[in-house]
Amino acid sequence: MTNEPPRSDLSEPCEPAADPGPAELSAPQMRLLPWSSPDEKPCFLITDGAGGPVSDLADSIEEIQLGIGEELLRHARAMHGDPKVPDREFRFLSRRLAEALGDALRVARN
């Protein structure tokens, strides 16, 4: 028997805590999805940021929407340089640009 005092947990060497992964660091968040319900209400996904099939689909749709916006912008710039473009084409383009801007703003806010 020795005369050493009993050891406590505080005297034990400390091992560093395991590094938590990204999923453990993220609290659940609500993500606005790039589509609406049949009655035009916004759709949300509760996510931990780790991804998944619905999140991947939403990312793909957002990329498509942004690509459409870029294409429309290129088309609009070309139309402005052509004085023979009828007004009805500008109105049509204006509606499509408004839709694309709405999609882009929805993505940006998310």
Side-chain angles (χ1 to χ4, degrees):
M1 184 159 193
T2 65
N3 290 335
E4 293 181 27
R7 298 187 78 178
S8 71
D9 291 335
L10 296 175
S11 63
E12 294 292 319
C14 294
E15 293 184 25
D19 186 26
E24 293 174 8
L25 293 176
S26 300
Q29 298 175 346
M30 288 183 61
R31 176 183 178 174
L32 178 64
L33 296 172
W35 56 81
S36 300
S37 69
D39 55 347
E40 297 300 315
K41 293 184 180 176
C43 294
F44 294 90
L45 173 67
I46 297 175
T47 178
D48 60 5
V54 175
S55 186
D56 292 345
L57 177 62
D59 289 343
S60 297
I61 290 173
E62 288 169 350
E63 282 295 319
I64 291 168
Q65 289 172 332
L66 291 174
I68 289 169
E70 290 172 345
E71 181 76 23
L72 286 168
L73 186 57
R74 280 192 295 275
H75 189 62
R77 288 180 174 147
M79 285 178 67
H80 279 77
D82 185 356
K84 296 180 183 179
V85 175
D87 287 345
R88 64 183 162 75
E89 287 189 37
F90 273 117
R91 283 191 300 276
F92 179 79
L93 177 64
S94 175
R95 285 191 299 270
R96 300 296 80 80
L97 283 169
E99 291 170 358
L101 179 58
D103 291 340
L105 289 172
R106 185 180 184 115
V107 169
R109 288 185 183 128
N110 193 11

